[in-house]
C-alpha cells in the first residue's frame, strides 16, 4: 500500500461512534471532568524527543490509557463522553466493542467500510484487519498525518484484544476494563474510575428520571445517590424502578432500604432501551451478577462470600489470614500463597480494591452496593451463605482482644484494645444485619460457638463504650441464637449464655432499669453456679456474679443479703490462683456504697481509700492528681452526694 493516502481514497473526518451516547437522550455528562483532562494529558501532550518511536515506521508509538474500575461505575460513559467531545481533535475515531472476537471483527469491518479503505470485494476478516492496521500504522493523507483515536470498550479478554491490537500504530487507544492489571500488558497509563460524588450522582438521577420539579427533589436525589454509592449504573436502575412502579423520589427513598435485596435482583431494561437506545442490561446488579460460576474459582468464591459479611469500607488483610484459631469453609485459602492467589483473582475482576500501607496491614475495600448485589445474588443461586457468616465470625473473633465480661476494666489503661475493638465492631454490625436476611435453615446452621462468642464480646464492648442500647441489642441476638440450639449444645455453651446474661444485666443497669438488671444478673449467677458445679471449681466469673448481684440489689434498694454476697465474692477471689488485692476492687466499691446508704461514712471512706491505694500500687497512677479518678476520693461530707459518680464508672 502507498505510504500516503489521497483525499479521494478516504472519507475524512471519520467518526465511527457505534454506541448509544447519553447526549442522544438529552442527558448531560455527569462525572468528573478532571478524568477527561487526565486522558488529554496522555493523548495530547506534545511529543518529546525522548519518546519512543516504532522501529518499523519511525513514527511515535502508541499512547494508551486504561480506564478501570467496577462494572457499572461509568467507564464506558466516560469513554463515550471523551470520544464525543474530542471530534475536533481527532480526525478519525473508532469505537469497538471488545467483549468478543466476533464483535471486534464486526467493528473493524464497519469501520473499514465507513473510512472507505480500498479492498477486494467480499474481503476476509484477516484482509479487513490488515487494511485497518496498515492505515493506523501509516495514517497519512496527502502527506499530512491523521490523528486517530481507537476506543476498545470492555477489554476483558486480553488474548482476543491482542489479536486486534494496532501494534505498529502511532495514534491513541483508550481501553475500558474491570481489570487494572492489563495496564502493564498494553503499556497504558492507568486511570481508576470511581463512583460519582453525591452531587454528581444526584444530578444524573434527576436528569434521567426527569423529576427535577418534585418537592425536595435535590435532597431526596442526594439521599438516594448516597444509598447506592453514587454508582451510575445504579442511578439508571433506580430510574427504571421508579418508572416501573410509578414512584416519586420521596417514595423511592422511603422504601429503598427495605426493598434493596429485591431491587438488586430485578431485571429491567435500561432507561435508554425504553427511550430507543440499546445499552445492555445492568448485568452485574441483576440476574447474571458477576457470572460467578464462570469468572472465579471455588477459593475465590468462598473468599468473596466471606467478604460480603464484612464491612467493605475497610477490611484489614490481617483479618483474612488463616490461623489455627479459625474455622473456615472447605475452599477458603489456608496459607499465604493461596490467599494471595484468591485476592489477586478478585482484584483482577475489580471485585475488590487493594489499599497498600507502609508499616501496617493492607486494606481491602468493596462498595456496599456491590457487596449487597453479590450477596443477594449468591443467595438467589442457593449458595450456602451460613458458611460465609461462620467463617467471617471466626476470622474476626481470632483478632478480637477478648475479655468476656472481665469484672475489672479501667478504660484509660486499655486504649489499644479499645481501638482494635472499634475497628472490628463494624464487621460484627454488618454480620448482624445480614443474619436477618438469611433463610431459617442458614440461621440455624450458623449457630456456632464462634458466632455467639463474637456477639457476646461485641455486646460487652458496646457496654464499655457507653452504648447500652446497642449492647442490649447485640446480647439479645446472642441469646436468640443460643436458644435455637439443641439442649446438648446449650449446655456446651452455658459459659457464653452466662456472659450474655451478665451483659444484659449491666446494660439494663446503665439504662436505669434496675429490676430488669437484677433479673439478668440472677440468670448470670445461676449459670455460673451450674458451671462451677459441673467443673468442681470456683471461678473469677462466679465471684463477679455475686458482686454484680450485690450492686444490682443496692440500686433497687434491696439491701438485705448484700454484704453476704460481697463477702462470698471476696472469699472466692481470695482463693483463686494468682490472686492480688486489685481483685477486690468491685467488692470493696459496692461495700462502700452499702455503707453510704446506711450512713456509715467512716467505713465507706475506708473502702474507697483501700481501692485507691491498691490501684495506685498496681498501676503507678496518682489518683489524687489525675482528674477522672478523683471522683473515688470521698470525704465524710461529700460521700452521700457521690453515689451516682461511683455507679457510673
Amino acid at each position: 500500500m502507498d505510504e500516503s493516502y489521497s483525499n479521494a481514497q478516504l472519507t475524512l473526518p471519520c467518526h465511527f461512534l457505534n454506541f448509544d451516547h447519553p447526549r442522544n437522550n438529552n442527558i448531560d455528562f455527569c462525572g468528573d471532568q478532571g478524568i477527561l483532562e487526565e486522558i488529554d494529558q496522555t493523548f495530547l501532550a506534545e511529543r518529546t524527543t525522548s519518546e519512543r518511536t516504532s522501529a518499523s515506521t519511525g513514527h511515535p508509538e502508541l499512547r494508551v490509557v486504561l480506564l478501570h474500575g467496577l462494572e457499572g461505575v461509568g467507564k464506558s460513559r466516560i469513554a463515550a463522553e471523551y470520544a464525543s467531545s474530542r471530534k475536533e481533535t481527532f480526525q478519525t475515531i473508532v469505537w469497538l466493542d471488545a467483549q468478543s472476537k466476533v464483535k471486534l471483527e464486526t467493528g473493524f469491518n464497519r469501520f473499514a467500510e465507513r473510512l472507505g479503505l480500498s479492498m477486494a470485494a467480499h474481503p476476509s476478516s484477516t484482509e479487513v484487519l490488515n487494511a485497518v492496521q496498515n492505515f493506523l500504522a501509516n495514517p497519512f493523507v496527502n502527506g499530512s498525518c491523521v490523528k486517530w483515536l481507537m476506543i476498545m470498550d470492555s477489554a476483558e479478554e486480553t488474548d482476543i484484544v491482542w489479536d486486534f491490537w494496532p501494534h505498529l500504530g502511532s495514534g491513541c487507544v483508550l481501553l475500558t476494563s474491570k481489570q487494572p492489571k492489563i495496564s502493564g500488558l498494553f503499556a497504558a497509563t492507568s486511570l481508576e474510575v470511581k463512583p460519582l460524588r453525591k452531587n454528581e450522582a444526584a444530578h444524573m438521577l434527576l436528569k434521567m428520571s426527569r423529576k427535577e420539579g418534585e418537592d425536595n427533589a435535590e435532597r431526596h436525589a442526594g439521599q438516594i445517590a448516597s444509598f447506592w454509592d453514587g454508582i451510575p449504573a445504579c442511578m439508571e436502575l433506580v430510574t427504571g424502578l421508579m418508572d416501573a412502579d410509578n414512584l416519586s423520589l420521596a417514595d423511592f427513598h422511603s422504601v429503598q432500604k427495605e426493598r434493596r435485596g429485591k431491587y438488586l435482583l430485578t431485571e429491567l431494561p435500561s432507561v435508554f432501551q425504553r427511550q430507543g437506545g440499546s445499552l445492555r442490561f445492568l448485568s452485574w446488579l441483576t440476574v447474571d451478577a458477576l457470572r460467578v460460576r464462570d469468572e472465579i474459582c471455588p477459593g475465590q468464591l468462598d473468599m468473596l462470600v466471606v467478604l460480603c459479611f464484612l464491612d467493605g469500607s475497610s477490611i484489614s488483610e490481617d483479618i483474612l489470614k488463616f490461623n489455627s484459631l479459625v474455622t473456615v469453609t472447605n475452599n477458603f485459602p489456608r496459607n499465604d500463597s493461596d490467599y494471595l492467589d484468591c485476592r489477586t483473582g478478585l482484584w483482577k475482576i475489580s471485585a475488590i480494591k487493594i489499599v497498600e500501607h507502609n508499616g501496617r496491614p493492607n486494606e481491602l475495600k468493596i462498595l456496599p452496593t456491590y457487596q449487597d448485589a453479590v450477596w443477594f445474588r449468591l443467595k438467589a443461586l442457593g449458595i450456602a451463605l451460613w458458611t460465609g457468616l461462620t467463617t467471617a465470625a471466626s476470622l474476626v473473633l481470632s483478632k478480637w482482644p477478648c475479655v468476656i465480661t472481665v469484672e475489672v476494666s479501667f478504660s484509660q489503661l486499655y486504649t489499644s484494645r479499645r481501638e482494635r475493638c472499634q475497628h472490628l465492631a463494624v464487621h460484627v454490625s454488618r454480620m448482624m444485619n445480614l443474619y436477618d436476611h438469611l433463610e431459617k435453615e442458614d440461621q440455624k446452621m450458623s449457630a456456632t460457638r464462634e458466632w455467639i462468642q463474637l456477639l457476646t464480646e461485641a455486646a460487652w464492648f458496646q457496654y464499655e463504650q457507653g452504648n447500652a442500647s446497642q449492647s442490649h441489642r447485640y446480647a439479645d441476638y446472642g441469646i436468640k441464637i443460643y436458644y435455637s440450639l439443641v439442649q446438648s449444645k446449650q449446655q456446651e455453651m452455658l459459659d457464653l449464655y452466662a456472659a450474655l446474661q451478665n451483659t444484659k444485666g449491666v446494660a439494663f443497669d446503665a439504662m436505669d432499669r434496675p429490676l430488669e438488671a437484677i433479673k439478668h444478673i440472677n440468670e448470670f449467677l445461676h449459670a455460673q453456679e451450674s458451671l462451677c458445679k459441673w467443673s468442681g471449681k470456683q471461678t473469677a466469673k462466679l465471684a463477679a456474679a455475686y458482686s454484680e448481684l450485690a450492686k444490682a440489689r443496692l440500686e433497687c434498694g434491696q439491701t438485705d443479703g448484700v454484704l453476704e454476697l460481697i463477702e462470698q465474692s471476696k472469699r472466692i477471689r481470695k482463693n483463686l490462683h494468682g490472686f492480688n488485692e486489685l481483685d477486690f476492687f468491685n467488692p470493696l466499691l459496692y461495700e462502700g456504697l452499702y455503707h453510704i446508704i446506711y450512713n456509715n461514712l467512716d467505713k465507706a471512706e475506708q473502702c474507697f481509700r483501700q481501692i485507691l491505694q491498691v490501684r495506685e500500687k498496681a498501676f503507678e497512677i496518682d489518683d489524687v492528681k489525675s482528674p477522672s479518678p478523683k471522683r473515688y476520693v470521698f470525704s465524710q461530707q461529700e460521700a452521700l452526694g457521690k453515689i451516682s459518680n461511683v455507679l457510673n464508672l
Side-chain angles (χ1 to χ4, degrees), residues 183-476:
S183 61
L185 178 62
F186 295 107
T189 298
S190 182
L191 300 177
E192 181 185 4
V193 179
K194 299 178 181 179
L196 299 176
R197 300 184 184 92
K198 176 181 175 180
N199 63 318
E200 295 168 344
H203 174 68
M204 179 180 183
L205 178 59
L206 289 172
K207 288 293 183 179
M208 285 199 297
S209 65
R210 299 172 182 171
K211 295 182 181 293
E212 300 99 320
E214 292 184 358
D215 292 342
N216 298 311
E218 289 188 8
R219 178 166 63 87
H220 290 310
Q223 291 168 333
I224 293 170
S226 294
F227 185 74
W228 296 91
D229 294 317
I231 299 172
C234 291
M235 299 303 97
E236 186 178 341
L237 175 65
V238 169
T239 300
L241 292 166
M242 290 193 296
D243 185 23
D245 295 340
N246 195 26
L247 298 175
S248 66
L249 289 165
D251 292 337
F252 188 87
H253 174 254
S254 68
V255 301
Q256 62 181 358
K257 184 175 182 180
E258 175 188 349
R259 300 181 184 177
R260 185 171 175 95
K262 174 186 174 183
Y263 285 161
L264 287 171
L265 293 176
T266 300
E267 184 170 2
L268 281 176
S270 73
V271 175
F272 304 106
Q273 283 182 315
R274 288 194 300 281
Q275 296 176 353
S278 59
L279 286 184
R280 64 189 177 197
F281 284 11
L282 303 176
S283 60
W284 76 283
L285 291 176
T286 57
V287 176
D288 297 318
L290 281 184
R291 301 191 297 280
V292 292
R293 298 197 184 280
D294 298 328
E295 290 194 2
I296 56 182
C297 69
Q300 292 167 358
L301 179 57
D302 276 16
M303 187 172 174
L304 185 60
V305 173
V306 171
L307 291 174
C308 285
F309 281 97
L310 301 175
D311 182 82
S313 63
S314 177
I315 304 172
S316 178
E317 282 202 283
D318 67 337
I319 294 175
L320 299 171
K321 299 296 181 65
F322 177 81
N323 60 69
S324 59
L325 301 176
V326 175
T327 303
V328 297
T329 57
N330 290 337
N331 297 308
F332 192 86
R334 295 170 182 267
N335 56 58
D336 288 346
S337 176
D338 289 346
Y339 169 77
L340 290 174
D341 287 345
C342 289
R343 184 198 70 171
T344 302
L346 294 176
W347 172 75
K348 286 179 180 178
I349 61 171
S350 288
I352 59 173
K353 180 180 178 181
I354 302 172
V355 181
E356 296 184 351
H357 297 293
N358 290 325
R360 59 189 177 94
N362 295 337
E363 289 180 307
L364 306 185
K365 291 182 179 290
I366 316 175
L367 290 176
T369 299
Y370 186 85
Q371 275 185 298
D372 290 347
V374 174
W375 193 88
F376 283 108
R377 175 58 187 141
L378 295 175
K379 181 182 177 184
L381 287 172
I383 290 174
L385 293 174
W386 69 268
T387 61
L389 172 58
T390 55
T391 298
S394 186
L395 288 165
V396 173
L397 181 65
S398 73
K399 301 299 180 182
W400 193 285
C402 295
V403 292
I404 312 295
T405 65
V406 171
E407 60 178 293
V408 178
S409 176
F410 300 106
S411 60
Q412 67 268 32
L413 300 178
Y414 289 89
T415 302
S416 60
R417 174 181 178 271
R418 182 170 67 242
E419 291 175 353
R420 186 65 173 162
C421 290
Q422 284 174 335
H423 179 72
L424 295 170
V426 293
H427 301 305
V428 184
S429 178
R430 178 164 177 83
M431 289 181 216
M432 287 175 57
N433 292 336
L434 289 181
Y435 175 83
D436 286 335
H437 293 284
L438 289 174
E439 302 293 342
K440 287 186 178 180
E441 186 61 27
D442 274 353
Q443 289 183 343
K444 182 178 178 181
M445 295 297 292
S446 70
T448 62
R449 181 177 183 86
E450 288 90 345
W451 176 218
I452 298 174
Q453 185 178 359
L454 180 61
L455 286 170
T456 307
E457 289 290 348
W460 185 258
F461 174 68
Q462 293 296 332
Y463 162 70
E464 288 180 320
Q465 294 298 104
N467 302 324
S469 60
Q470 278 290 83
S471 175
H472 176 258
R473 176 171 170 257
Y474 280 44
D476 261 353

Side-chain angles (χ1 to χ4, degrees), residues 530-545:
S530 296
L531 287 166
C532 293
K533 181 179 179 180
W534 293 336
S535 67
K537 297 179 181 179
Q538 292 185 323
T539 65
K541 290 179 182 177
L542 177 62

Side-chain angles (χ1 to χ4, degrees), residues 148-169:
W148 60 263
L149 168 66
M150 174 183 287
I151 297 168
M152 288 187 164
D153 188 36
S154 300
E156 310 301 340
E157 301 294 335
T158 54
D159 290 344
I160 295 174
V161 172
W162 194 251
D163 290 339
F164 292 84
W165 191 252
H167 296 281
L168 301 180

Side-chain angles (χ1 to χ4, degrees), residues 84-95:
S84 294
S85 62
R86 301 302 192 267
K87 289 180 180 178
E88 293 184 4
T89 302
F90 297 98
Q91 292 173 274
T92 298
I93 302 176
V94 54
W95 179 283

